Amino acid sequence: MNEIKIFCPATIANLSCGFDVLGLCLDNVGDEMIIKKSTTKGIRITKIVGADLPLETEQNVAGVAALALIEAVEAKLGPITIGFDIEIYKNIKAGSGIGSSAASAAGAVFGINALLESPFEIKDLVQFAMQGEKLACGNAHADNVAPALLGGFTLVRSYTPLDIIKIESPSELYATVVHPQIELKTSDARSVLKQNVSLKSAIMQWGNVGGLIAGLYTQDYDLIGRSLHDEIVEPIRSVLIPGFDLIKQTALENGALGSGISGSGPSIFALSKGAATAQKIAKAMSAVYEEMNLPYEIHVSKVNDQGMKII
Amino acid sequence: MNEIKIFCPATIANLSCGFDVLGLCLDNVGDEMIIKKSTTKGIRITKIVGADLPLETEQNVAGVAALALIEAVEAKLGPITIGFDIEIYKNIKAGSGIGSSAASAAGAVFGINALLESPFEIKDLVQFAMQGEKLACGNAHADNVAPALLGGFTLVRSYTPLDIIKIESPSELYATVVHPQIELKTSDARSVLKQNVSLKSAIMQWGNVGGLIAGLYTQDYDLIGRSLHDEIVEPIRSVLIPGFDLIKQTALENGALGSGISGSGPSIFALSKGAATAQKIAKAMSAVYEEMNLPYEIHVSKVNDQGMKII
């Protein structure tokens, strides 16, 4: 195999109660990448379509992630004499809160690993993709790259050492994601957070994390819904997102199990049981932003249990 | 049925990462109660063996819990013309940190509910048993009464509304519990806690709660072990328990999956896979306290998936 074309899925991190630890993978929202083996050593970003992003390897999240993978492969197997040319076709807008940088970083390592006949297991690729996240927002977080690579839901139990648990999605779980067309940088969304939280709120939060994980394993949609609360981050961050309260309320009134900020925003997600409810929520959310004259994009997707796909 | 004899199991609350939300039920450590129907209306504590506890109904955790149940039964079904006489045979020492008050409170409501032909489901009895906990320590917590009633592991996802999730125990999971013979009041153990925690520690804690729940559902003993960390409470409370660090280290060196403070202490628990390892840990823990000339009790028990038992 000299060339690979892959679908790089968008992801929803945090999922209300699971700030910095939980994420899920979307199915029909994402970028595409074409990666080609080259006789010239090194990593080159040869083409970016759909976004104004740097082509310099060291300045590009896909480039940085690929370099981290190559370094590890060489440490494991010895020098690699070939190189890789990467084309990125972006559909996920930067700063949307659905894992735009993660899709590129994870896609690069997934594709190159496949072209090298899988020296690493998919789970082990998370650490390399995280280097792309570090470039994108200063923080090597895994809650988008892990679900992008592994699919379904992922829990980052620990960073030191890195310990990622994949949880299969209940079969009828759908996400609706609305992206109001304002840009909210992850770094800005992080800067509003407080360094300390009340023990009382923290206890409620980990009760809900436990409930959400239990709901996923038992396919208990009601329990998933009851657990989708964020005591800590949403009350602070949601004021940065126009219409947040109304969008969330609208989602819940239209049958959502729960709703919250996707990643660091500004996208807002709702989870629901079944495609019909997810579509109904999308229609109702759209009406809210139309009434506000705010441009938006909207996505409806099953949770994608596979993650990255070769296409 | 005019009389019931029940086994009221001891419980381990908190379980390292799950402060105030997680608990498990022990199998061969617990009290016994005999509850008899009486033609005289009301709740009477007629006998307490093995502990110096108040016989006055309103001053006794079993009495208070029973009164809460009776009030709810009357609200549901109309006046009850009979009463109940309760005998309590304590084996679980008060202030040991393995749910002594919870066993009595939960036993009373379980037994009376059974004698009344189960007007409430077992899960619904938790709220009444919590009234006993409120009398015992000023805080109507559920993390001991829930596992005592339901067995296995329980997660208190939320208190308002009360939302308890029972999780079956992996089949080979054993607990070793050592009780150094010092008294540590729950109220004192709570007073040392800080009202605020760092967001960073809280994130690590809910990552571990998620990991522990995932480990229980997938019977992944290693994951259970990796998740048994407490970033927040153990570092503060453990200084109140003589020999804590050495006992914990000894447990881990002898094969424990994890170890921590049982409830608010002073008991220390270790979880392990299989009875042999649990016994080995018990022997090693005992040697530590013998070396320190500190009196102790030690228990080895399978996790009890049933909870309260009629005997």
Side-chain angles (χ1 to χ4, degrees):
Chain A
M1 190 161 57
N2 287 312
E3 180 177 330
I4 192 169
K5 186 177 181 185
I6 47 180
F7 170 73
C8 312
T11 44
I12 301 174
N14 295 345
L15 295 168
S16 298
C17 53
F19 181 67
D20 267 5
V21 304
L22 288 174
L24 68 75
C25 186
L26 295 174
D27 202 30
N28 54 3
V29 190
D31 300 338
E32 288 181 11
M33 289 173 101
I34 295 172
I35 305 178
K36 297 174 185 169
K37 278 186 190 169
S38 159
T39 52
T40 311
K41 206 172 145 58
I43 302 290
R44 287 157 299 276
I45 313 293
T46 54
K47 193 193 243 186
I48 301 175
V49 177
D52 182 23
L53 293 168
L55 286 162
E56 296 79 11
T57 304
E58 288 81 3
Q59 301 299 315
N60 183 291
V61 296
V64 168
L67 289 172
L69 170 62
I70 294 296
E71 189 183 329
V73 172
E74 293 195 322
K76 188 176 179 176
L77 303 174
I80 296 170
T81 53
I82 59 166
F84 299 91
D85 295 338
I86 301 176
E87 299 173 12
I88 307 173
Y89 299 85
K90 293 296 293 180
N91 290 309
I92 313 170
K93 290 216 170 72
S96 58
I98 53 171
S100 181
S101 56
S104 297
V109 296
F110 177 84
I112 293 172
N113 189 62
L115 289 174
L116 290 171
E117 292 174 357
S118 302
F120 286 99
E121 288 183 33
I122 303 293
K123 208 171 193 170
D124 296 327
L125 298 177
V126 173
Q127 59 190 310
F128 311 123
M130 284 166 65
Q131 298 309 311
E133 294 292 64
K134 193 172 174 185
L135 177 70
C137 74
N139 178 17
H141 65 101
D143 48 352
N144 288 106
V145 291
L149 283 163
L150 298 166
F153 285 75
T154 57
L155 168 73
V156 186
R157 188 198 62 78
S158 156
Y159 277 94
T160 45
L162 189 63
D163 189 5
I164 310 251
I165 295 119
K166 148 111 192 229
I167 303 160
E168 277 185 27
S169 175
S171 54
E172 294 178 76
L173 204 58
Y174 279 75
T176 308
V177 185
V178 66
H179 174 208
Q181 304 286 295
I182 60 158
E183 194 175 341
L184 180 59
K185 282 191 181 160
T186 303
S187 53
D188 291 343
R190 282 200 93 86
S191 69
V192 298
L193 298 180
K194 294 175 183 156
Q195 289 201 315
N196 289 299
V197 299
S198 77
L199 178 58
K200 197 180 163 194
S201 298
I203 292 167
M204 293 170 80
Q205 196 90 339
W206 63 62
N208 282 319
V209 168
L212 181 51
I213 302 287
L216 293 173
Y217 277 108
T218 56
Q219 306 222 3
D220 181 336
Y221 294 87
D222 286 338
L223 175 55
I224 291 168
R226 296 199 302 278
S227 305
L228 285 169
H229 284 284
D230 180 353
E231 300 291 327
I232 290 175
V233 176
E234 183 179 296
I236 298 171
R237 271 191 179 164
S238 60
V239 297
L240 301 173
I241 302 170
F244 176 83
D245 290 345
L246 186 54
I247 287 281
K248 178 173 175 169
Q249 184 194 327
T250 301
L252 295 173
E253 284 169 0
N254 282 274
L257 300 167
S259 173
I261 303 170
S262 177
S264 57
S267 287
I268 303 166
F269 77 92
L271 295 189
S272 50
K273 186 179 177 185
T277 304
Q279 292 290 357
K280 187 181 168 201
I281 292 164
K283 204 172 158 186
M285 282 176 160
S286 300
V288 170
Y289 277 144
E290 271 158 28
E291 180 73 19
M292 290 171 67
N293 277 321
L294 189 71
Y296 66 93
E297 278 188 347
I298 196 142
H299 310 285
V300 174
S301 172
K302 202 168 192 301
V303 180
N304 162 7
D305 230 15
Q306 185 184 340
M308 293 278 157
K309 288 174 193 172
I310 299 171
I311 49 181
Chain B
M1 190 162 56
N2 287 312
E3 182 177 327
I4 193 168
K5 187 177 181 185
I6 47 180
F7 170 74
C8 312
T11 45
I12 301 174
N14 296 347
L15 294 168
S16 299
C17 53
F19 180 68
D20 267 8
V21 306
L22 287 174
L24 68 75
C25 186
L26 296 173
D27 203 29
N28 55 2
V29 190
D31 300 337
E32 288 180 10
M33 290 174 100
I34 295 172
I35 306 178
K36 296 173 185 170
K37 278 186 189 168
S38 160
T39 52
T40 310
K41 205 170 147 60
I43 303 291
R44 286 157 299 277
I45 314 293
T46 55
K47 194 193 244 184
I48 300 175
V49 177
D52 183 22
L53 294 167
L55 286 162
E56 297 79 11
T57 304
E58 288 82 3
Q59 301 299 316
N60 183 291
V61 296
V64 167
L67 289 172
L69 170 62
I70 294 295
E71 189 183 329
V73 172
E74 292 195 321
K76 188 175 180 177
L77 304 173
I80 296 170
T81 54
I82 59 167
F84 299 91
D85 295 338
I86 300 175
E87 298 173 13
I88 307 173
Y89 299 85
K90 294 296 293 180
N91 290 310
I92 314 170
K93 291 217 170 70
S96 58
I98 52 169
S100 181
S101 57
S104 298
V109 297
F110 176 84
I112 293 172
N113 188 61
L115 289 173
L116 289 171
E117 293 174 356
S118 302
F120 286 100
E121 288 183 32
I122 303 294
K123 208 170 194 171
D124 296 327
L125 298 176
V126 173
Q127 59 190 311
F128 311 123
M130 284 166 64
Q131 297 309 311
E133 295 291 64
K134 193 172 174 187
L135 177 71
C137 74
N139 178 17
H141 65 102
D143 48 351
N144 287 107
V145 293
L149 283 163
L150 298 166
F153 284 76
T154 57
L155 168 73
V156 185
R157 187 198 61 79
S158 155
Y159 276 94
T160 47
L162 189 63
D163 189 6
I164 311 252
I165 295 118
K166 148 111 192 230
I167 303 159
E168 277 185 28
S169 175
S171 55
E172 293 177 75
L173 203 60
Y174 280 74
T176 308
V177 185
V178 67
H179 174 207
Q181 304 285 294
I182 61 157
E183 193 175 342
L184 181 60
K185 283 190 180 160
T186 303
S187 53
D188 291 344
R190 282 199 94 86
S191 69
V192 298
L193 298 179
K194 293 177 183 156
Q195 289 202 313
N196 289 299
V197 300
S198 77
L199 178 58
K200 196 179 163 195
S201 298
I203 292 166
M204 293 170 81
Q205 196 89 340
W206 63 63
N208 282 317
V209 168
L212 181 50
I213 301 286
L216 293 173
Y217 277 109
T218 56
Q219 307 223 3
D220 181 337
Y221 294 87
D222 286 338
L223 176 55
I224 291 168
R226 296 200 302 277
S227 305
L228 285 170
H229 284 284
D230 180 353
E231 300 292 326
I232 290 175
V233 175
E234 184 178 296
I236 298 171
R237 272 192 179 163
S238 60
V239 297
L240 301 173
I241 302 171
F244 176 83
D245 290 345
L246 188 54
I247 287 280
K248 178 173 175 168
Q249 185 194 328
T250 301
L252 295 173
E253 284 169 1
N254 282 274
L257 300 168
S259 173
I261 304 170
S262 176
S264 56
S267 287
I268 302 167
F269 78 92
L271 296 188
S272 50
K273 185 179 178 184
T277 305
Q279 292 290 358
K280 186 180 170 204
I281 292 164
K283 204 173 158 186
M285 283 176 162
S286 300
V288 170
Y289 277 145
E290 270 157 30
E291 180 73 21
M292 290 173 65
N293 277 320
L294 189 73
Y296 66 93
E297 279 188 346
I298 195 140
H299 310 285
V300 173
S301 172
K302 200 168 193 299
V303 180
N304 162 7
D305 230 14
Q306 186 185 339
M308 294 277 157
K309 288 174 193 171
I310 298 172
I311 50 179

